[in-house]
Amino acid sequence: MKPLPGSGPEVSGSSRLPPGLRSVVTWDVDPHGYCTEHEHATRAHFARRLAALKGCTFAGVYDPRQAYGSVPYFVPSDTLTDPALVRATGITGVDDLFGGVVPYPFVATKALTHPLIGADASRPAGWSPRFATEAAEAVLPGYSCFSREEARKAGRMLLDGGLARVKPVIATGGRGQVVVGSVDALDRCLDAMDETEITTRGLVLEENLDRPRTYSVGQVSVEHLVASYCGEQRSTRDNAGQEVYGGSDLMLVRGDFDRLLAVVNPAPPLRRAIEQARHYHRAVSGCYPGFFASRVNYDVAQGMGSRGDWRSGVLEQSWRVGGATGAEIAALEAFHAHPKCDRVRASSFEVYGAAAPPADAIVAYHGIDREIGRLSKFTLLKRHADTP
């Protein structure tokens, strides 16, 4: 069972301490990112379950001032983007964290996905022009821009073919995105944005798809267990009425992506999504040395472009705890508890408002977050009918 290149147990340098000598900790990498009440509670819930899988103890939030008996196993709030800090913390490979490590901050954002508008365009340190070539078959038409004027130019180029979508590079769940259909609308959108934010983090402009289906394709590796999966995302309305990510319905199998394709035997559109996710991942691994991850997830959108052409492409990557993680861990738990079980179906849910989770749900969070209001996050697991 071999995982994706750069994302599995074969990564060199990973420490393999006896499980009983390690503790599992959550790590708030950036106090301003993914650190709301529900995100803290959800990470702690996942970390406890990972500790049980690994035969470790859960030691709470990581404290760099504390003397741990050995390097802990980390469940970070975000993809780790500072290689020096990663080394200082003792993380050397995929066996040391549930998540991923990248050599530059932009690699962890949507800005990675698309090419620049030209050879002389602004770019962050470490940008690999080769990635755009390597990943071209796996992504939608679009551009990543690091100045407002370059974003105007990119937007006009896309508008020549129809509607364009403007996407902040670190927003999640579809928040903050704007669809524009004219130069005036594009200019208003860009003028309302912070220039420093664009210059520092980047901005994505991408062909807009009409009523797209969004697939989740991913893989997780914990200890000797590898699970790969595919499925479709659902949207919902948050407490402010905005359309956001609402969960995913997934098929998860024991093993790598070859095993996933063999077991699922997907219809051509889903097979295309899986192959594009693999292609994108290989491009990251080949163009950005130092990247490794034990948890990978790729969103792949499929739908009709503005000119009526069917499109399919990776929207973004996630190498941190995410919306599908409840389902991922539930599958690993099933595979660990039942050695003959090789596939499960699992659905993750993010439900806003007062509705209570079902009685048979695995609940990661159910409460009132001061920032977003009432929210329930849970997973429903169903072993496949053909599994012993």
Side-chain angles (χ1 to χ4, degrees):
M1 297 185 301
K2 64 179 185 303
L4 285 169
S7 68
E10 83 282 359
V11 175
S12 62
S14 61
S15 59
R16 291 187 174 276
L17 300 173
L21 297 180
R22 304 191 80 173
S23 57
V24 175
V25 296
T26 60
W27 184 9
D28 296 342
V29 180
D30 178 358
H32 303 292
Y34 310 115
C35 286
T36 63
E37 291 175 51
H38 78 86
E39 287 164 335
H40 272 129
T42 301
R43 268 197 306 280
H45 169 85
F46 292 151
R48 289 188 182 94
R49 292 166 65 189
L50 288 167
L53 271 174
K54 294 172 65 63
C56 302
T57 59
F58 174 56
V61 179
Y62 174 61
D63 182 352
R65 299 166 299 181
Q66 181 175 333
Y68 294 90
S70 63
V71 175
Y73 179 88
F74 293 89
V75 183
S77 60
D78 206 342
T79 305
L80 303 180
T81 63
D82 183 342
L85 176 61
V86 169
R87 289 192 296 270
T89 307
I91 296 172
T92 60
V94 296
D95 293 322
D96 296 327
L97 82 167
F98 188 83
V101 173
V102 297
Y104 305 100
F106 72 86
V107 180
T109 76
K110 296 180 182 71
L112 171 69
T113 299
H114 293 293
L116 306 173
I117 62 169
D120 297 327
S122 303
R123 69 200 66 196
W127 184 270
S128 170
R130 186 163 65 92
F131 180 80
T133 301
E134 296 286 332
E137 295 299 315
V139 303
L140 300 173
Y143 300 94
S144 291
C145 302
F146 293 87
S147 81
R148 183 175 302 176
E149 290 311 308
E150 289 174 357
R152 290 189 204 280
K153 181 178 178 181
R156 282 163 168 75
M157 292 165 65
L158 289 169
L159 286 170
D160 285 342
L163 300 177
R165 182 175 291 267
V166 183
K167 300 165 61 172
V169 301
I170 62 171
T172 61
R175 291 179 171 87
Q177 299 183 15
V178 178
V179 177
V180 297
S182 68
V183 171
D184 286 345
L186 173 68
D187 288 341
R188 288 195 300 272
C189 175
L190 295 178
D191 288 342
M193 294 184 170
D194 182 79
E195 174 77 21
T196 302
E197 182 78 6
I198 297 174
T199 301
T200 303
R201 297 187 183 274
L203 184 69
V204 165
L205 295 97
E206 188 176 76
E207 180 181 14
N208 185 65
L209 300 187
D210 182 37
R211 290 171 292 181
R213 301 178 71 174
T214 303
Y215 293 104
S216 288
V217 180
Q219 187 179 96
V220 288
S221 173
V222 177
E223 294 294 312
H224 61 287
L225 294 169
V226 177
S228 301
Y229 62 86
C230 60
E232 192 168 350
Q233 294 185 11
R234 286 174 271 103
S235 62
T236 190
R237 297 283 177 179
D238 66 13
N239 292 313
Q242 183 176 358
E243 187 173 5
V244 297
Y245 173 79
S248 300
D249 301 311
L250 305 174
M251 169 67 84
L252 305 98
V253 307
R254 186 193 296 265
D256 62 11
F257 277 118
D258 289 334
R259 174 70 175 156
L260 177 69
L261 289 167
V263 170
V264 175
N265 189 23
L270 180 53
R271 180 175 292 273
R272 175 68 171 159
I274 296 170
E275 294 294 357
Q276 286 182 310
R278 299 178 79 180
H279 190 106
Y280 186 104
H281 184 90
R282 293 190 193 102
V284 178
S285 299
C287 296
Y288 290 100
F291 163 70
F292 58 86
S294 63
R295 191 268 175 178
V296 304
N297 176 278
Y298 300 99
D299 293 348
V300 183
Q302 296 181 347
M304 302 303 291
S306 297
R307 292 182 172 175
D309 298 328
W310 186 83
R311 301 286 197 185
S312 178
V314 175
L315 297 178
E316 61 181 303
Q317 72 285 12
S318 176
W319 303 311
R320 59 170 180 83
V321 167
T325 295
E328 295 162 357
I329 296 177
L332 293 174
E333 291 167 338
F335 297 156
H336 176 74
H338 306 283
K340 292 185 179 180
C341 176
D342 70 346
R343 73 192 82 171
V344 297
R345 291 190 180 275
S347 294
S348 62
F349 292 84
E350 297 189 9
V351 179
Y352 295 83
D360 57 345
I362 306 169
V363 181
Y365 180 82
H366 177 60
I368 302 175
D369 184 292
R370 282 179 291 184
E371 292 189 22
I372 65 171
R374 290 187 180 274
L375 173 66
S376 297
K377 301 169 73 172
F378 57 90
T379 300
L380 297 176
L381 177 69
K382 182 179 180 181
R383 288 173 62 185
H384 195 272
D386 295 337
T387 297

